[in-house]
Amino acid sequence: MSLANGRHYLAIPGPSVMPDRVLQAMHRPAPNIYTGQLVDMTATIVADLKQVARTRHGVAIYIANGHGAWEAALCNTLSRGDKVLILGTGRFCQGWGELARGLGIVTEIIDFGFRAKVDLDRVAEALRADTGHQIKAVLAVQVDTASSVRNDIPGLRRVLDETGHPALLFSDNIACLAVDEFHMDDWGVDVMVAGCQKGLMVPPGMAFVYFNDKADAARETADCVTPYWDWRPRANPALYYQHFCGTAPTHHLYGLREALDMILHEEGLEAVWHRHKVLAGAVWAAFDAWGQGSEIALNIADPSARSHAVTTVRIGGDAGTRLRHWLEHEAGITLGIPLGAPEEEANSIFRIGHMGHVNAHMVLGVLGAIQAGMIALGIPHGPGGLDVAAGVIARG
Ligand SMILES: *Cc1c(COP(=O)(O)O)cnc(C)c1O
């Protein structure tokens, strides 16, 4: 008999769990889009979006998903024939590169594989080799949601500075904004892209492109920019509708206002980062214990290179697919499918999203259900995983 009835937990890395408060804030009649509450509230949202990224620079809001932010970032800074350096650590930077090529931008790719972070020495080598400064931007993901790696973004800034290379530094924080620590200005990031549906806990439909003055200067000559994707009127609108180049995403703005209140004004951004760090640590501890004497392993071996937003697990054979199905049908939990993994390993891999509106009992619940699934399916695993996870939670 299935034990799946009850509240379902969609433990995939986006869209993430949406707080009831966010959904309720969206459940309202259409607001006036010319004057009044919505217009006033949007100004507070822009200010808080900057706070959540730790920047004082510009931010443009798009009615789009993450792919829209990717394209907006590219077309506001680059021209056809320009070259960008793509740092592959899973799936997502490569996806950004595919959009770039579609725009007529030339991509040079360094692929660090599915299980490692960006090697800064190899980036330095590529930048030094580019004596003519053909590379106009270095594209990186802070967290690759496929591999669950977390890259060293301030390290990339250091490499650009040390090699004296003038390329812009782009960071994709779609998975990890308001999850993993990030300081746009202090870390010297020129362009950052984010979406609302992961750490920000809002239904998919809004994306954000942050840019500093250096990136905005590149906008002067970028020939890929088009009126709709132009970040300038969006970031500095003379009239309210220019924020969105048309009708505002009215209900999403109410949802986002609520989510930013929860993150910045109630829990606090540093506490949010800490919560995700501890919850991720509980997940890692469980799998480290289950991996003793078995095939189970975290995809990223180095804890300092793991995201706090998502964990990619390798469990051996076809056990990943079997376990996902068991959890879905017997325990009311949907885990993330493998993405970007080599074909022959795909059935071994699954991902756990633990970003956004997630707390201790939810993570312990997922881990407990995973252990139940491993027992039910006869998947070999070491002892004590739940005990060590509970210990991590207990220490806070
Ligand atoms: C989810 C995600 C994207 C893509 O976002 P969409 O909203 O699906 O377009 C891009 N980059 C990263 C790191 C992501 O996690």
Side-chain angles (χ1 to χ4, degrees), residues 70-298:
W70 272 348
E71 184 156 327
L74 295 166
C75 70
N76 275 281
T77 48
L78 298 160
S79 298
R80 283 162 189 76
D82 278 353
K83 189 196 260 192
V84 297
L85 182 62
I86 304 284
L87 307 177
T89 53
R91 176 70 193 93
F92 284 88
C93 211
Q94 289 89 328
W96 205 353
E98 284 156 21
L99 283 195
R101 285 194 293 282
L103 287 169
I105 293 161
V106 178
T107 55
E108 176 178 333
I109 301 174
I110 311 179
D111 194 339
F112 301 91
F114 194 69
R115 304 197 65 181
K117 66 179 175 181
V118 166
D119 174 350
L120 297 176
D121 291 338
R122 284 180 64 194
V123 179
E125 214 175 284
L127 292 174
R128 278 201 195 92
D130 180 36
T131 48
H133 294 165
Q134 297 298 305
I135 296 169
K136 300 299 177 203
V138 175
L139 274 55
V141 288
Q142 187 182 8
V143 167
D144 193 301
T145 322
S147 63
S148 73
V149 80
R150 181 164 51 85
N151 286 310
D152 179 0
I153 301 295
L156 284 171
R157 174 79 271 157
R158 271 198 314 280
V159 166
L160 280 158
D161 291 348
E162 282 165 17
T163 55
H165 200 292
L168 295 167
L169 175 58
F170 284 33
S171 180
D172 170 345
N173 289 46
I174 295 169
C176 61
L177 186 66
V179 175
D180 283 290
E181 190 169 343
F182 180 74
H183 303 263
M184 174 158 170
D185 293 354
D186 288 353
W187 290 2
V189 171
D190 298 306
V191 176
M192 186 272 273
V193 296
C196 67
Q197 79 273 25
K198 298 186 186 180
L200 296 180
M201 314 185 293
V202 176
M206 271 191 303
F208 315 105
V209 179
Y210 294 79
F211 56 94
N212 67 11
D213 296 342
K214 183 177 172 191
D216 197 42
R219 156 70 187 73
E220 284 298 326
T221 52
D223 81 9
C224 289
V225 72
T226 57
Y228 185 78
W229 293 102
D230 192 351
W231 65 31
R232 284 201 171 157
R234 290 173 182 264
N236 291 297
L239 297 166
Y240 181 73
Y241 84 92
Q242 292 173 326
H243 258 307
F244 312 101
C245 197
T247 306
T250 49
H251 289 65
H252 273 74
L253 290 169
Y254 279 100
L256 181 60
R257 179 63 273 161
E258 194 73 17
L260 289 168
D261 281 344
M262 294 170 74
I263 292 166
L264 291 174
H265 306 305
E266 294 172 22
E267 188 173 359
L269 186 57
E270 269 150 32
V272 169
W273 290 338
H274 179 75
R275 170 167 51 84
H276 285 95
K277 179 179 176 184
V278 175
L279 296 177
V283 172
W284 306 343
F287 282 97
D288 282 343
W290 288 329
Q292 298 303 311
S294 81
E295 283 186 64
I296 296 171
L298 294 172

